[in-house]
Amino acid sequence: MDGLSFPAPWHRLSEGVRVMIVHTLVIIFLCINMLLIVTFVKKECFHTSARYILFFVTLLSDSFLLLMTDILLILTRCSVQVWLCIFICLFVLVYSIVTPVTLTAMTLERYVAICIPLRHGQLCSTRSTMYCILIIHGLSSGPCIVIISMFFATASISFYNQYTICSVEMFMLYRWQDHARSAVSQFYFMIMGITIVFSYVQIMKVAKAASGENKKSTQKGVRTVILHAFQLFLCLVQLWSPFIETAVLQIDVNLFRDFRYFNYVFFSIVPKCLSPLIYGLRDETFFISLKNLMPTSSCSKKHVI
C-alpha cells in the first residue's frame, strides 16, 4: 500500500488549515478570473467574436463553479436541510458540465475557421454564438435532469425535511443511480472527445496542405485544439475521482480524506483558473488588452497603439 501513501505534510495538515488553503486558492483564482473577465468586457472587439465570447462563458462558468464548490466546502462542516442542498447542487451539477461542452464548441469554432473559412462568418456570427450558448446550457442540463429525476423518483417526501451534509453524492440513494450517473457522464465525454479528435485530424490535414501565413494560422489552431483536449482531460479526471475515492475508502478512511483533498485542489480548483489563464495569455490580442489593464503598462500604451 506504500504506492498509495501521501507525503507526511498531507497527513499533518489539520482540517482548519486545509479549509484555509482552499479558501485562499479560491479567492486568488477568482481574482485572476475576474481580471480576465474585465479584460473581455472593456474590449469591444471581443464582443463580436465567437471565439472570445465562448472563452468568456468558460470564465464565468469556472468562476461560478469555484464559488459554489467553496460554499459546499463550508457546508460540509454543518448539516443543512435536503431541499436547500438540492438547490445548491443543481447549479454545481449544471456548471460542472458547461465548461467541457463550451470547450468542445470552441474546438468546433476553430475547425470552421480553418477548414471551412468561407462559412465562418455565417456559422460563427454573434447571433449564432448566442444561440450556441443557449444550446450549451441546454445540453449541460442533461446529466442534472437525469440525476435529479432519479432522486425525485426514489426519495420519500419526509427525506426533504431531513438534515444532511450537503454533497452531490447525496442524490445517490441506490447503487444503480450511481451507475446511471456514470453512464450519462461517460457518454457526454465520449461525444466531446470524438468531436475534439475529429477537429484535430481535419485541422492537421489542412495544416499539411497550407503554406506561409495559412500554415502559421493552422498550426496555432492545432495547438489550441490540443489545449482544449488537455482541459477536457482534466474534466474527465475530475469525473473519475469519485469512483477512485470510493475504492480508496474501502482501504483506509484517513487515506480517503487525503486523496479527496488532493483531488479537489489539483483537479478541481487549479485547472479552473490555470487553463483559462494559459489560453488568454496565448492569444496575442487578449494578452495586449490584459497588459494594458496593468498600472505599469500606462507608459507602453502609446507604443502598442
Side-chain angles (χ1 to χ4, degrees):
M1 299 312 303
D2 293 341
L4 288 172
S5 299
F6 284 84
W10 288 96
H11 296 289
R12 289 199 295 262
L13 288 178
S14 66
E15 186 69 22
V17 172
R18 291 186 180 191
V19 171
M20 285 302 299
I21 290 174
V22 169
H23 289 336
T24 303
L25 288 174
V26 168
I27 291 171
I28 292 173
F29 292 159
L30 280 176
C31 290
I32 294 174
N33 278 9
M34 285 304 300
L35 180 62
L36 297 174
I37 289 171
V38 170
T39 302
F40 172 87
V41 172
K42 283 185 172 292
K43 196 73 172 179
E44 292 186 5
C45 65
F46 296 150
H47 304 170
T48 56
S49 171
R51 178 178 169 191
Y52 295 115
I53 293 173
L54 292 175
F55 177 50
F56 177 68
V57 171
T58 64
L59 290 174
L60 287 180
S61 172
D62 287 342
S63 299
F64 183 72
L65 191 59
L66 274 176
L67 183 62
M68 295 305 293
T69 52
D70 195 44
I71 291 174
L72 276 180
L73 178 65
I74 296 173
L75 292 178
T76 56
R77 302 174 68 86
C78 60
S79 297
V80 297
Q81 279 191 302
V82 171
W83 65 266
L84 178 60
C85 183
I86 292 174
F87 181 76
I88 296 173
C89 289
L90 279 175
F91 292 100
V92 174
L93 287 169
V94 171
Y95 281 93
S96 62
I97 305 295
V98 165
T99 294
V101 174
T102 306
L103 290 174
T104 306
M106 292 172 71
T107 300
L108 288 175
E109 186 275 332
R110 286 295 84 197
Y111 163 74
V112 172
I114 293 172
C115 298
I116 43 178
L118 296 180
R119 298 199 61 190
H120 183 263
Q122 177 187 358
L123 295 176
C124 300
S125 64
T126 305
R127 184 185 182 90
S128 299
T129 306
M130 293 300 107
Y131 287 131
C132 180
I133 293 173
L134 292 176
I135 294 172
I136 286 171
H137 282 77
L139 291 174
S140 301
S141 301
C144 177
I145 292 172
V146 172
I147 293 171
I148 295 298
S149 298
M150 292 188 302
F151 175 75
F152 286 160
T154 55
S156 61
I157 296 177
S158 61
F159 185 75
Y160 299 101
N161 293 321
Q162 294 180 12
Y163 284 82
T164 183
I165 296 177
C166 191
S167 171
V168 174
E169 282 68 30
M170 180 200 70
F171 297 103
M172 305 295 109
L173 300 178
Y174 299 97
R175 189 69 177 174
W176 64 268
Q177 291 173 318
D178 206 16
H179 292 319
R181 173 194 176 190
S182 175
V184 172
S185 299
Q186 298 288 359
F187 173 76
Y188 265 66
F189 277 91
M190 181 185 71
I191 296 299
M192 289 185 281
I194 291 173
T195 302
I196 288 180
V197 170
F198 168 79
S199 301
Y200 175 79
V201 171
Q202 296 302 315
I203 292 174
M204 281 297 294
K205 289 180 180 179
V206 174
K208 290 181 179 180
S211 59
E213 290 296 322
N214 287 336
K215 192 175 186 66
K216 183 179 179 180
S217 175
T218 51
Q219 287 176 345
K220 188 175 181 180
V222 170
R223 290 194 295 269
T224 300
V225 172
I226 292 174
L227 175 60
H228 292 338
F230 176 69
Q231 290 175 289
L232 189 63
F233 171 74
L234 291 178
C235 294
L236 188 59
V237 170
Q238 187 181 351
L239 169 70
W240 285 338
S241 294
F243 305 106
I244 301 174
E245 289 169 6
T246 302
V248 173
L249 180 60
Q250 306 301 320
I251 302 171
D252 184 72
V253 175
N254 291 326
L255 181 62
F256 164 76
R257 290 171 180 167
D258 291 334
F259 191 80
R260 190 168 199 176
Y261 178 75
F262 177 85
N263 281 341
Y264 181 63
V265 172
F266 288 96
F267 295 113
S268 183
I269 296 180
V270 175
K272 289 290 182 294
C273 178
L274 292 186
S275 294
L277 182 61
I278 293 170
Y279 184 84
L281 293 179
R282 283 183 64 254
D283 188 276
E284 185 178 352
T285 306
F286 200 92
F287 177 71
I288 292 175
S289 300
L290 180 63
K291 186 178 178 182
N292 288 340
L293 281 179
M294 303 299 176
T296 54
S297 66
S298 58
C299 296
S300 61
K301 285 184 178 178
K302 293 182 180 179
H303 175 72
V304 174
I305 294 173

